[in-house]
mmCIF file of all heavy atoms in Angstrom:
data_model
loop_
_atom_site.group_PDB
_atom_site.id
_atom_site.type_symbol
_atom_site.label_atom_id
_atom_site.label_comp_id
_atom_site.label_asym_id
_atom_site.label_seq_id
_atom_site.Cartn_x
_atom_site.Cartn_y
_atom_site.Cartn_z
ATOM 1 N N ASN B 370 54.155 -36.107 123.028
ATOM 2 C CA ASN B 370 52.896 -36.343 123.714
ATOM 3 C C ASN B 370 52.335 -37.746 123.587
ATOM 4 O O ASN B 370 51.197 -38.026 124.047
ATOM 5 C CB ASN B 370 51.863 -35.348 123.281
ATOM 6 C CG ASN B 370 52.311 -34.011 123.714
ATOM 7 O OD1 ASN B 370 52.828 -33.776 124.841
ATOM 8 N ND2 ASN B 370 52.027 -32.987 122.854
ATOM 9 N N HIS B 371 53.088 -38.638 123.011
ATOM 10 C CA HIS B 371 52.600 -40.109 122.907
ATOM 11 C C HIS B 371 52.869 -40.761 124.214
ATOM 12 O O HIS B 371 53.657 -40.362 125.069
ATOM 13 C CB HIS B 371 53.272 -40.811 121.710
ATOM 14 C CG HIS B 371 52.694 -40.320 120.422
ATOM 15 N ND1 HIS B 371 51.595 -40.880 119.837
ATOM 16 C CD2 HIS B 371 53.032 -39.272 119.566
ATOM 17 C CE1 HIS B 371 51.269 -40.250 118.739
ATOM 18 N NE2 HIS B 371 52.166 -39.279 118.561
ATOM 19 N N SER B 372 52.187 -41.907 124.390
ATOM 20 C CA SER B 372 52.278 -42.558 125.668
ATOM 21 C C SER B 372 53.373 -43.590 125.764
ATOM 22 O O SER B 372 53.724 -43.977 126.896
ATOM 23 C CB SER B 372 50.856 -43.275 125.959
ATOM 24 O OG SER B 372 50.651 -44.203 124.944
ATOM 25 N N SER B 373 53.858 -44.119 124.696
ATOM 26 C CA SER B 373 54.867 -45.170 124.742
ATOM 27 C C SER B 373 55.643 -45.116 123.441
ATOM 28 O O SER B 373 55.226 -44.495 122.474
ATOM 29 C CB SER B 373 54.238 -46.521 124.900
ATOM 30 O OG SER B 373 53.488 -46.861 123.793
ATOM 31 N N TRP B 374 56.694 -45.856 123.408
ATOM 32 C CA TRP B 374 57.544 -46.123 122.212
ATOM 33 C C TRP B 374 56.671 -46.603 121.034
ATOM 34 O O TRP B 374 56.692 -46.100 119.967
ATOM 35 C CB TRP B 374 58.656 -47.094 122.532
ATOM 36 C CG TRP B 374 59.368 -47.541 121.347
ATOM 37 C CD1 TRP B 374 59.236 -48.768 120.781
ATOM 38 C CD2 TRP B 374 60.317 -46.853 120.521
ATOM 39 N NE1 TRP B 374 60.022 -48.905 119.571
ATOM 40 C CE2 TRP B 374 60.717 -47.687 119.486
ATOM 41 C CE3 TRP B 374 60.918 -45.585 120.590
ATOM 42 C CZ2 TRP B 374 61.619 -47.270 118.498
ATOM 43 C CZ3 TRP B 374 61.835 -45.169 119.659
ATOM 44 C CH2 TRP B 374 62.231 -46.067 118.615
ATOM 45 N N ARG B 375 55.881 -47.660 121.342
ATOM 46 C CA ARG B 375 55.071 -48.273 120.239
ATOM 47 C C ARG B 375 54.024 -47.236 119.742
ATOM 48 O O ARG B 375 53.771 -47.137 118.506
ATOM 49 C CB ARG B 375 54.471 -49.553 120.746
ATOM 50 C CG ARG B 375 53.793 -50.293 119.608
ATOM 51 C CD ARG B 375 53.562 -51.748 119.925
ATOM 52 N NE ARG B 375 53.104 -52.410 118.726
ATOM 53 C CZ ARG B 375 51.831 -52.692 118.541
ATOM 54 N NH1 ARG B 375 50.890 -52.198 119.264
ATOM 55 N NH2 ARG B 375 51.471 -53.289 117.371
ATOM 56 N N ASP B 376 53.364 -46.565 120.684
ATOM 57 C CA ASP B 376 52.355 -45.587 120.329
ATOM 58 C C ASP B 376 52.998 -44.555 119.399
ATOM 59 O O ASP B 376 52.457 -44.194 118.376
ATOM 60 C CB ASP B 376 51.838 -44.939 121.566
ATOM 61 C CG ASP B 376 50.700 -43.937 121.336
ATOM 62 O OD1 ASP B 376 50.031 -44.103 120.308
ATOM 63 O OD2 ASP B 376 50.494 -43.075 122.203
ATOM 64 N N SER B 377 54.088 -44.041 119.854
ATOM 65 C CA SER B 377 54.792 -43.029 119.008
ATOM 66 C C SER B 377 55.265 -43.572 117.677
ATOM 67 O O SER B 377 55.098 -42.953 116.663
ATOM 68 C CB SER B 377 56.060 -42.443 119.821
ATOM 69 O OG SER B 377 57.022 -42.065 118.941
ATOM 70 N N LYS B 378 55.804 -44.750 117.700
ATOM 71 C CA LYS B 378 56.278 -45.375 116.469
ATOM 72 C C LYS B 378 55.172 -45.552 115.438
ATOM 73 O O LYS B 378 55.297 -45.166 114.299
ATOM 74 C CB LYS B 378 56.941 -46.688 116.828
ATOM 75 C CG LYS B 378 57.425 -47.543 115.584
ATOM 76 C CD LYS B 378 58.191 -48.733 115.996
ATOM 77 C CE LYS B 378 57.701 -49.938 115.333
ATOM 78 N NZ LYS B 378 58.453 -51.133 115.672
ATOM 79 N N LEU B 379 54.050 -46.146 115.973
ATOM 80 C CA LEU B 379 52.964 -46.370 115.032
ATOM 81 C C LEU B 379 52.317 -45.139 114.484
ATOM 82 O O LEU B 379 51.790 -45.098 113.386
ATOM 83 C CB LEU B 379 51.879 -47.207 115.729
ATOM 84 C CG LEU B 379 52.222 -48.603 115.897
ATOM 85 C CD1 LEU B 379 51.143 -49.416 116.719
ATOM 86 C CD2 LEU B 379 52.394 -49.348 114.577
ATOM 87 N N HIS B 380 52.368 -44.068 115.275
ATOM 88 C CA HIS B 380 51.703 -42.870 114.746
ATOM 89 C C HIS B 380 52.521 -41.746 114.175
ATOM 90 O O HIS B 380 52.077 -40.815 113.559
ATOM 91 C CB HIS B 380 50.815 -42.287 115.962
ATOM 92 C CG HIS B 380 49.660 -43.166 116.253
ATOM 93 N ND1 HIS B 380 49.470 -43.655 117.513
ATOM 94 C CD2 HIS B 380 48.687 -43.666 115.457
ATOM 95 C CE1 HIS B 380 48.346 -44.442 117.453
ATOM 96 N NE2 HIS B 380 47.897 -44.499 116.227
ATOM 97 N N THR B 381 53.848 -41.893 114.391
ATOM 98 C CA THR B 381 54.788 -40.858 113.827
ATOM 99 C C THR B 381 55.847 -41.444 112.952
ATOM 100 O O THR B 381 56.633 -40.697 112.298
ATOM 101 C CB THR B 381 55.525 -39.991 114.880
ATOM 102 O OG1 THR B 381 56.430 -40.899 115.554
ATOM 103 C CG2 THR B 381 54.536 -39.602 115.918
#
Side-chain angles (χ1 to χ4, degrees):
Chain B
N370 293 324
H371 286 273
S372 62
S373 65
W374 167 257
R375 186 162 189 264
D376 183 24
S377 149
K378 174 171 132 180
L379 284 175
H380 291 123
T381 70

